[in-house]
Amino acid sequence: MAGQLSFDGTAAPLVPDKASLPKLREAAAGCTACDLYKTGTQTVFGEGTRNAEVMFVGEQPGDQEDLQGKPFVGPAGKLLDKALEEAGIHRSEVYVTNVVKHFKWTGRGKRRIHQKPNWSEIAACRPWIEAELDVVQPRVLVCLGATAAQALLGRDFRVSRQRGVPVDSELAEHVVATVHPSSILRADDREREFAEFVNDLEKIAALIGQG
């Protein structure tokens, strides 16, 4: 949580003492804790209600998120919306964010191709996700993909082995990990992978219902 961990060369000094989501978003807009701000169009902060019971955390914003300034609005975000709807979870009732707030990419012709953030970039951005967790205090934390899961649950965490299995953590009452929706877009059998993803989200819906 915010205040529990501190890294040298991170965004920690930028995090407001008395944080609210609007204040965090405003402060993060000027973040230069790592070099990704130099190539990203803008900081892409989390979005959703501070009363959300569920927080979904992905790796980083993609091309469309970088341009629009909102998380999960590109192809993977649209797939997430569809899966949430099928699982009976309303997007308006969740909080979505990423462990890294700037888009890391490399050029290929006119396209900007996603590059995986390194650990120093993840560490630099860590205070923002901690602050979001402190403000929202979700009952359920869902890590989408390996980067988010390892950033929050440890480098030894393997989504392939521990997908959908509750994890003991101080970050939230219920903590689970599943695949990132972008992996479904790259899968050979999208229909099967999507069905398994919906099944994971249905388990999340059940956890919400226990409240």
Side-chain angles (χ1 to χ4, degrees):
M1 297 290 191
Q4 292 181 330
L5 296 175
S6 179
F7 299 89
D8 292 330
T10 74
L14 297 175
V15 179
D17 290 333
K18 295 182 179 180
S20 65
L21 291 179
K23 287 183 178 179
L24 287 173
R25 187 172 293 107
E26 181 180 0
C31 186
T32 58
C34 75
D35 286 341
L36 294 185
Y37 80 94
K38 296 178 180 178
T39 54
T41 303
Q42 59 192 310
T43 301
V44 181
F45 205 70
E47 189 170 72
T49 172
R50 66 158 296 166
N51 298 316
E53 288 195 272
V54 186
M55 179 184 287
F56 288 91
V57 182
E59 177 188 285
Q60 65 167 328
D63 180 74
Q64 286 301 309
E65 288 79 8
D66 176 66
L67 296 174
Q68 297 183 41
K70 295 183 177 183
F72 289 94
V73 293
K78 289 180 172 58
L79 190 145
L80 175 61
D81 287 347
K82 181 181 178 183
L84 287 171
E85 183 178 358
E86 292 201 15
I89 302 173
H90 295 286
R91 171 75 179 258
S92 62
E93 297 174 351
V94 307
Y95 188 89
V96 292
T97 190
N98 291 290
V99 292
V100 172
K101 309 302 189 194
H102 281 102
F103 179 35
K104 184 176 183 178
W105 58 278
T106 184
R108 187 179 300 168
K110 294 184 178 180
R111 299 178 61 199
R112 299 192 301 171
I113 306 301
H114 157 277
Q115 281 193 312
K116 183 177 179 179
N118 61 41
W119 282 105
S120 65
E121 292 158 350
I122 292 170
C125 219
R126 173 82 184 224
W128 294 123
I129 187 68
E130 291 180 337
E132 288 173 293
L133 283 163
D134 260 1
V135 172
V136 178
Q137 296 189 1
R139 287 186 56 233
V140 186
L141 172 63
V142 185
C143 299
L144 297 172
T147 299
Q150 292 176 5
L152 295 177
L153 305 176
R155 295 194 189 193
D156 293 332
F157 191 93
R158 294 293 179 269
V159 174
S160 58
R161 293 200 304 262
Q162 297 163 274
R163 175 178 180 172
V165 179
V167 179
D168 288 333
S169 173
E170 295 180 355
L171 296 175
E173 181 181 347
H174 304 286
V175 179
V176 295
T178 184
V179 298
H180 194 286
S182 63
S183 69
I184 300 172
L185 297 174
R186 300 189 300 268
D188 293 331
D189 190 344
R190 291 188 186 184
E191 187 174 337
R192 179 176 62 82
E193 292 293 335
F194 180 74
E196 291 182 1
F197 185 53
V198 171
N199 182 60
D200 289 341
L201 296 187
E202 286 174 341
K203 295 176 183 177
I204 304 303
L207 289 175
I208 302 172
Q210 293 176 8

